């Protein structure tokens, strides 16, 4: 109790002065933990490639979880684990203290969180918290935060990086923007998903994730170009990847996608369509900032070519297909050379 009261007193007076913050004051004043399965109901919107694995960690930790997904089959494995199903984001939020969302596009975020009748915020009680983990627009994060504040609620933008394996292993990088005290309050939940990195005020989580995507985009271009070059030079591309993995050219992208590319495994850990969306948001923000990032622009064009070929639902490692088409080669014909 004493620990909880000290933590409660550590919150800024601007937070404590907001009336009717029932969840935050209850969770901090009545327990010795900020958040725990015994005092916190969690809602989750979006149970696709990433969300399904992330939800499973919360269920295994003992949290009461309510889920919503437009395609019921994607939520079924979680229902089998004990999750409850909501008929709408509004219904879900009315049964939750903290609502997470990880959906496809900014328009989806706006719909599931801000729709005046069916959106989560319309059903969230005073003091509830929205945590949007979708890679989205920083300006939309600010809009959600303002809307939440007007209802005496809170909003955190917390997009993630790490792909499907990071989600499965609970080792995602989480970029959080918003009130730091609320981010700290949520730390027991974030710890089940990965490592939370506080980036600053509302929207800064989104800016950090966009910078992350810019870095990944050029890294992926370098990876597949190196593989095409190695193939054309007559190297065994598998041996080449193994050789460079422990050197300066090693990267998380190589670790995650090198072997998948060689196996022609284009199942999505992260969809090309969603990456095109992310890079488009990056370019829009660059225009607002007056920034010229030619590597970003090139990567976006290459990924757009995949979408034009009907490959938008492949994983981002399918970038190899664009480089193969440009050079009229296929890594499937890779041969081992003799010394």
């Amino acid at each position: 109790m004493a620990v909880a009261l000290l933590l409660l007193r550590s919150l800024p007076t601007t937070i404590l002065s907001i009336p009717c913050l029932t969840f935050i004051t209850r969770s901090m004043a009545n327990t010795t933990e900020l958040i725990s399965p015994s005092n916190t109901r969690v809602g989750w919107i979006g149970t696709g490639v990433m969300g399904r694995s992330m939800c499973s960690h919360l269920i295994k930790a003992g949290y009461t979880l309510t889920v919503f997904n437009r395609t019921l089959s994607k939520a079924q494995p979680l229902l089998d684990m004990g999750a409850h199903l909501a008929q709408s984001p509004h219904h879900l939020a009315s049964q939750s203290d903290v609502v997470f969302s990880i959906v496809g596009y900014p328009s989806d975020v706006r719909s599931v969180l801000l729709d005046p009748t069916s959106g989560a915020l319309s059903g969230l009680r005073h003091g509830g918290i929205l945590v949007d983990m979708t890679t989205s627009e920083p300006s939309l994060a600010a809009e959600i935060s303002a809307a939440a504040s007007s209802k005496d609620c809170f909003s955190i933008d917390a997009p993630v990086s790490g792909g499907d394996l990071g989600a499965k292993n609970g080792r995602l990088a989480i970029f959080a923007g918003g009130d730091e005290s609320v981010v700290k309050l949520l730390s027991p939940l974030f710890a089940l998903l990965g490592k939370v990195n506080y980036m600053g005020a509302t929207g800064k989580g989104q800016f950090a994730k966009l910078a992350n995507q810019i870095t990944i985009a050029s890294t992926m271009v370098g990876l597949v170009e190196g593989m095409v070059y190695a193939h054309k030079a007559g190297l065994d591309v598998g041996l080449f990847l193994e050789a460079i993995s422990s050197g300066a050219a090693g990267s998380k992208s190589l670790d995650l996608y090198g072997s998948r590319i060689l196996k022609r495994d284009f199942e999505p850990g992260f969809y090309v369509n969603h990456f095109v969306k992310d890079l488009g948001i990056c370019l829009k923000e660059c225009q607002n900032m007056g920034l010229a990032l030619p590597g970003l622009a090139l990567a976006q064009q290459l990924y757009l070519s995949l979408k034009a070929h009907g490959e938008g639902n492949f994983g981002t490692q399918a970038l190899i297909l664009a480089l193969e088409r440009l050079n009229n080669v296929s890594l499937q014909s890779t041969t081992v050379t003799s010394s």
Side-chain angles (χ1 to χ4, degrees), residues 236-290:
D236 181 304
V237 181
L239 290 177
F240 162 72
L241 292 180
E242 183 179 351
I244 69 171
S245 64
S246 59
S251 69
K252 182 68 74 173
S253 293
L254 190 159
D255 295 340
L256 287 174
Y257 300 122
S259 63
R260 296 190 197 186
I261 291 171
L262 290 180
K263 295 174 183 175
R264 315 302 284 187
D265 175 5
F266 300 129
E267 284 297 308
F270 191 73
Y271 288 104
V272 165
N273 280 335
H274 291 168
F275 203 44
V276 168
K277 174 263 298 183
D278 292 355
L279 299 185
I281 295 173
C282 291
L283 286 169
K284 178 181 176 182
E285 294 298 330
C286 284
Q287 185 172 355
N288 294 338
M289 297 175 183

Side-chain angles (χ1 to χ4, degrees), residues 42-47 55 59 64-96:
V42 179
W44 196 286
I45 301 170
T47 58
C55 284
I59 295 173
T64 298
L65 188 72
T66 303
V67 299
F68 171 80
N69 200 79
R70 287 174 296 187
T71 305
L72 180 59
S73 61
K74 292 183 178 180
Q76 191 59 51
L78 297 170
L79 301 182
D80 294 340
M81 293 177 67
H84 306 287
L85 181 66
Q87 299 305 311
S88 69
H90 173 97
H91 177 232
L92 176 145
S94 69
Q95 303 176 59
S96 305

